[in-house]
Amino acid sequence: ALAAALPLGCDLGDDSEAIPARAADSVQALPAGQREAAEALVRLESTARDRDGEALCDRVYLFAGGPSERCPSVMRKIFPTQGGYSVAVRSVRFESSDHAFADALTVTVTPSGSRERFPNTTFELRRRSGAWRVVFQT
């Protein structure tokens, strides 16, 4: 399944355990040619955990199907519905020099503390202005 690449913060309630950040370690385990593209998922995980909607809009996402001006309002709607997020990148496959797909294990936590594992999450990545970004499906 292709991930919608929704930002999930890490503002967990008292009953929940924070799930560990895994993206940076998993990216370091990838072959050298895949690391640069996969760094987009490190930025996604860390920026979402900081609940920094502006940074997600400016440095992480590339909106597919709509202008990025909508990004801040989308972030404001999504953050209250999410509790936690972790990404473990498994591999990156390139369609071209500026288009790739990253396969990952993702774990999400709702504000109530329930967890969901998605072992086969696919993130679409595009390079724009020299930087890899996660495609946000609108």
Side-chain angles (χ1 to χ4, degrees):
L2 187 64
L6 300 179
L8 304 168
C10 199
D11 182 25
L12 303 178
D14 294 335
D15 298 338
S16 300
E17 295 175 20
I19 47 180
R22 294 194 168 103
D25 289 339
S26 66
V27 166
Q28 290 307 311
L30 293 174
Q34 298 179 21
R35 287 186 203 138
E36 182 184 0
E39 282 293 325
L41 295 176
V42 175
R43 289 193 314 276
L44 172 65
E45 184 187 70
S46 66
T47 308
R49 284 172 177 264
D50 292 342
R51 301 180 81 77
D52 189 339
E54 291 296 319
L56 282 163
C57 295
D58 293 340
R59 293 182 299 208
V60 176
Y61 285 129
L62 174 66
F63 270 62
S68 59
E69 293 82 36
R70 293 182 42 212
C71 186
S73 65
V74 170
M75 296 304 116
R76 282 191 294 276
K77 290 177 185 173
I78 292 173
F79 278 137
T81 67
Q82 307 300 333
Y85 187 56
S86 179
V87 177
V89 186
R90 292 191 172 130
S91 66
V92 176
R93 66 186 182 283
F94 293 91
E95 298 291 308
S96 67
S97 63
D98 64 353
H99 187 210
F101 291 92
D103 295 318
L105 161 70
T106 58
V107 178
T108 63
V109 179
T110 66
S112 66
S114 63
R115 290 177 185 230
E116 288 189 75
R117 276 177 64 92
F118 301 94
N120 299 306
T121 305
T122 302
F123 292 90
E124 184 175 5
L125 307 172
R126 294 265 183 184
R127 188 192 319 247
R128 290 289 184 270
S129 302
W132 285 95
R133 294 183 179 253
V134 178
V135 175
F136 192 106
Q137 304 291 334
T138 57

